[in-house]
């Protein structure tokens, strides 16, 4: 066992240039992937935030009495996907309107002499219903209630659909860039191990002749690949940490990363190292 | 010990071995002679199970070519010592480490490694060069290191493929003396060579091979 570790370590030290290349590639790939992950994390955070603000407005006819409003609100609350329901009376609506247009000098309502704004329900959605299909189903359920007209239920459908399209595009780009970066890192690691196998050809031949098991021949190469991955992942972590520390001053509040991402980066590096050496060993040994 | 029975070997080129039979008993010294391309190295390869026969069988110390698994082959090799014309020493480590390599690979204990390595180097009269690198040695000395590495695991048979092919006559005699000594101590030796002069001047058993078949 000690022998295996020693051979792995000395192999790493001896393959200086190509080993360094592999380590750097793993580090750069991990950094790129890390940056993409951070951007995606921020994006989805933002998206979740926006989704949370999606709500349906149900306008109520002025002829509805209190009792009717009470029944309707119970019915709507019972619909799948509805999280909260808030009643906005005509008076509250006016206050909100005034608040919105407070710089306007002459008051529109005073001039009008009566309150034209309808009372309404403001309905928010449960998390799993904050999608265009989810919102649609709630919309359909509400508008199919007696006394409620389809035109009286309003929500920003186009906004949801558009947002969903952009998320899909972002995830696709993430995935594409991620896989290209990973693939090139894998190729370089694998190539590095291939070079090591070639340079150790005689030693490997001798090992086989004196009765070394497959495990003993392969393990040092795996250790070497894994160490390269580990070092690459650690470098990426240090780099990214520094980068975030610096940029956090610039774009305060935007970036929110937790320590899991660093664990992920190191794991990713190790994984790249192991898979790279695995494929090289399979093909060239 | 080692038994080859009607074993055939086919290479893609069409060459190979055709129903070879050969038995080497413990402590026996056997020359395997034949012109170049006759199949001497192929016979040795079958014994250390680098090539398995397509017909017939080979048995080596309890292992049988007909039912051996890939995982067992390293363990066959540990019972066999192998020496080649080109020594096959590792250039990146010194004499001691080259010999110890065969022990480390088997997971031997540190204390045993030192003792056995020095003893093997003693057998070939090279303990004083144990910290030299291979390129600092003469051809004869390198071959002696290779022999030390081959015997360090106490094999019951030593396979030697043209071990003196690269050496001058004086050094050849030196190497032959070492092999003789090993065989009188009980290690069987199978030596492939086309040095007929060497073979004719000795009284040992000779097996001739030509076009992939044994003649006697
Ligand atoms: N791996 C191989 N693939 C294809 N053909 C091979 C292979 N090894 C040997 N041969 C062929 O098999 C025949 C026997 O080869 P082998 O090496 O056993 O002969 P040899 O008696 O050892 O010759 P030499 O004295 O030159 O070492 C030759 O014709 C050779 O070309
Ligand atoms: Mg040969």
């Amino acid at each position: 066992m000690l022998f295996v570790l020693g051979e792995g370590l000395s192999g790493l030290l001896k393959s200086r240039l190509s080993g360094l290349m592999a380590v750097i590639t793993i580090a750069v790939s991990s950094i790129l992937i890390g940056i993409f992950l951070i951007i995606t994390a921020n994006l989805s955070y933002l998206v979740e935030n926006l989704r949370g603000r999606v709500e349906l407005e149900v306008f109520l006819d002025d002829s509805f009495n209190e009792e009717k409003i009470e029944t309707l609100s119970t019915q709507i609350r019972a619909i799948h996907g509805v999280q909260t329901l808030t009643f906005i009376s005509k008076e509250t609506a006016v206050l909100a309107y005034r608040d919105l247009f407070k710089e306007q000098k002459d008051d529109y309502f005073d001039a009008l002499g009566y309150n034209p704004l309808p009372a309404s329900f403001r309905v928010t959605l449960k998390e799993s219903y904050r999608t265009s299909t989810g919102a649609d189903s709630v919309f359909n359920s509400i508008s199919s209630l007696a006394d409620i007209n389809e035109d009286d239920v309003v929500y920003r459908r186009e906004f949801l659909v558009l947002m969903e399209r952009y998320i899909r595009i972002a995830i696709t780009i993430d995935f594409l860039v991620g896989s290209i970066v990973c693939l090139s890192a894998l190729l370089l690691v694998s190539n590095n191990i291939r070079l090591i196998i070639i340079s150790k050809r005689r030693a490997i031949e001798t090992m086989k002749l004196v009765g070394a098991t497959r495990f003993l021949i392969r393990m040092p190469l795996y250790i070497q690949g894994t160490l390269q991955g580990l070092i690459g992942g650690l470098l990426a972590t240090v780099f990214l940490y520094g980068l975030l520390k610096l940029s956090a001053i610039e774009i305060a509040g935007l970036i929110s990363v937790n320590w899991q991402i660093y664990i992920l980066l190191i794991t990713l590096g190790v994984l790249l190292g192991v898979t790279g050496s695995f494929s090289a060993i399979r093909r060239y040994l | 010990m080692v038994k080859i029975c009607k074993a055939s070997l086919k290479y893609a080129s069409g060459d190979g071995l055709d129903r070879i039979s050969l038995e080497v008993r413990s402590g026996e010294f056997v020359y395997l002679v034949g012109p170049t391309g006759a199949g001497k190295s192929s016979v040795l390869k079958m014994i250390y199970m680098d090539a398995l026969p397509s017909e017939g069988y080979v048995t080596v110390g309890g292992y049988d070519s007909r039912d051996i698994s890939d995982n067992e082959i390293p363990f066959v090799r540990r019972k066999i010592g192998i020496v080649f014309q080109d020594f096959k020493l590792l250039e990146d480590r010194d004499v001691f480490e080259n010999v110890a390599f065969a022990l480390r690979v088997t997971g031997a204990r540190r204390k045993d490694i030192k003792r056995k390595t020095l003893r093997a180097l003693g057998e070939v009269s090279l303990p004083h060069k144990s910290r030299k690198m291979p390129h600092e040695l003469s051809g004869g000395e390198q071959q002696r290191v290779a022999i030390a590495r081959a015997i360090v695991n106490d094999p019951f048979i030593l396979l030697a493929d043209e071990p003196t092919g690269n050496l001058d006559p004086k050094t050849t005699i030196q190497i032959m003396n070492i092999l003789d000594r090993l065989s009188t101590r009980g290690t069987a030796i199978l030596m492939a060579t086309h040095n007929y002069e060497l073979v004719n001047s000795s009284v040992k058993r000779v097996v001739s091979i030509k076009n992939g078949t044994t003649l006697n």
Side-chain angles (χ1 to χ4, degrees), chain A residues 37 81 111 170 206 215 222 227 235 238 274:
Chain A
L37 278 177
T206 307
F215 171 83
Y222 278 123
L227 280 177
L235 279 180
V238 169
V274 172

Side-chain angles (χ1 to χ4, degrees), chain A residues 2 15 56 69 73 87-88 135 143 177 204 226 241 263 279 283:
Chain A
L2 223 66
S15 70
L56 288 91
I69 289 170
S73 86
F87 174 67
I88 315 272
S143 31
V177 171
I204 290 170
T226 312
Y241 183 78
I263 303 281
S279 80
R283 259 188 296 171

Side-chain angles (χ1 to χ4, degrees), chain B residues 2-8 18-23 46-47 53-59 64-66 214:
Chain B
V2 170
K3 186 176 180 195
I4 302 177
C5 186
K6 294 182 189 139
S8 300
D18 185 26
R19 276 169 290 153
I20 291 262
S21 291
L22 169 69
E23 200 172 342
M46 282 202 308
I47 296 174
S54 52
E55 274 174 68
Y57 63 90
V58 180
T59 58
D64 189 318
S65 65
R66 286 168 297 188
T214 35

Side-chain angles (χ1 to χ4, degrees), chain B residues 32-157:
Chain B
L32 186 61
V33 295
T36 192
K40 303 181 295 294
S41 299
S42 304
V43 169
L44 299 186
K45 267 189 198 167
M46 282 202 308
I47 296 174
Y48 62 88
M49 307 231 174
D50 193 34
L52 297 178
S54 52
E55 274 174 68
Y57 63 90
V58 180
T59 58
V60 180
Y63 293 99
D64 189 318
S65 65
R66 286 168 297 188
D67 56 23
I68 192 161
S69 72
D70 279 356
N71 300 337
E72 289 173 322
I73 290 177
F75 298 94
V76 178
R77 307 254 168 99
R78 292 178 194 182
K79 299 187 168 190
I80 300 175
I82 312 172
V83 177
F84 293 96
Q85 181 173 0
D86 60 356
F87 322 136
K88 297 198 193 297
L89 299 179
L90 300 176
E91 296 296 335
D92 65 348
R93 52 199 87 196
D94 65 20
V95 166
F96 183 93
E97 281 306 319
N98 262 282
V99 176
F101 191 73
L103 288 170
R104 295 198 197 283
V105 150
T106 64
R109 281 181 312 182
R110 191 175 246 161
K111 210 173 58 191
D112 293 340
I113 289 175
K114 182 151 194 209
R115 184 174 53 80
K116 288 187 173 177
T117 302
L118 288 177
R119 199 187 61 197
L121 283 171
E123 292 277 3
V124 298
S125 325
L126 278 178
H128 58 292
K129 301 248 164 134
S130 68
R131 289 302 164 202
K132 289 261 192 273
M133 298 302 278
H135 65 87
E136 296 174 292
L137 303 180
S138 70
E141 287 170 332
Q142 289 189 45
Q143 190 60 293
R144 279 148 66 192
V145 175
I147 292 173
R149 181 179 64 195
I151 61 172
V152 75
N153 266 322
D154 295 318
F156 62 76
I157 186 168

Side-chain angles (χ1 to χ4, degrees), chain A residues 38-215:
Chain A
I38 291 170
I39 291 173
T40 313
N42 274 292
L43 208 66
S44 56
Y45 178 74
L46 192 75
V47 164
E48 278 319 306
N49 216 331
L50 289 175
R51 278 186 197 283
R53 289 193 210 155
V54 168
E55 47 188 29
L56 288 91
E57 262 186 297
V58 184
F59 293 108
L60 305 170
D61 200 283
D62 282 355
S63 65
F64 291 175
N65 58 19
E66 232 170 271
E67 195 187 336
K68 174 137 204 126
I69 289 170
E70 195 52 49
T71 335
L72 273 176
S73 86
T74 325
Q75 280 173 326
I76 292 175
R77 271 188 233 273
I79 290 170
H80 277 299
V82 171
Q83 191 171 43
T84 64
L85 179 141
T86 325
F87 174 67
I88 315 272
S89 65
K90 288 174 76 75
E91 293 69 36
T92 326
V94 171
L95 288 179
Y97 188 92
R98 283 201 171 124
D99 202 36
L100 210 58
F101 297 99
K102 53 175 166 262
E103 56 279 349
Q104 253 173 297
K105 292 221 173 62
D106 35 59
D107 200 298
Y108 173 67
F109 296 103
D110 287 344
L112 214 56
Y114 73 98
N115 182 354
L117 293 178
S120 63
F121 290 139
R122 192 162 285 168
V123 178
T124 64
L125 300 174
K126 284 192 180 137
E127 220 166 304
S128 55
Y129 280 79
R130 291 173 193 166
T131 61
S132 54
T133 44
D136 271 348
S137 87
V138 174
F139 170 84
N140 288 332
S141 307
I142 295 178
S143 31
S144 67
L145 291 175
D147 305 316
I148 298 229
N149 206 319
E150 201 171 292
D151 298 338
D152 293 333
V153 187
V154 181
Y155 74 102
R156 300 171 67 191
R157 183 161 201 288
E158 294 73 26
F159 169 74
L160 261 180
V161 170
L162 204 69
M163 198 167 70
E164 278 165 11
R165 165 130 35 96
Y166 283 134
I167 294 165
R168 260 203 300 280
I169 292 174
I171 288 176
T172 311
I173 292 176
D174 254 20
F175 195 76
L176 272 177
V177 171
S179 24
I180 290 170
V181 163
C182 279
L183 213 69
S184 50
L186 271 182
L187 283 178
L188 270 147
V189 175
S190 157
N191 188 54
N192 172 243
I193 301 288
R194 182 179 72 91
L195 291 178
I196 293 163
I197 291 174
I198 290 171
S199 75
K200 283 176 72 170
R201 186 134 281 173
R202 284 179 64 91
I204 290 170
E205 193 189 346
T206 307
M207 284 174 99
K208 285 182 179 165
L209 280 178
V210 298
T213 53
R214 271 161 65 99
F215 171 83

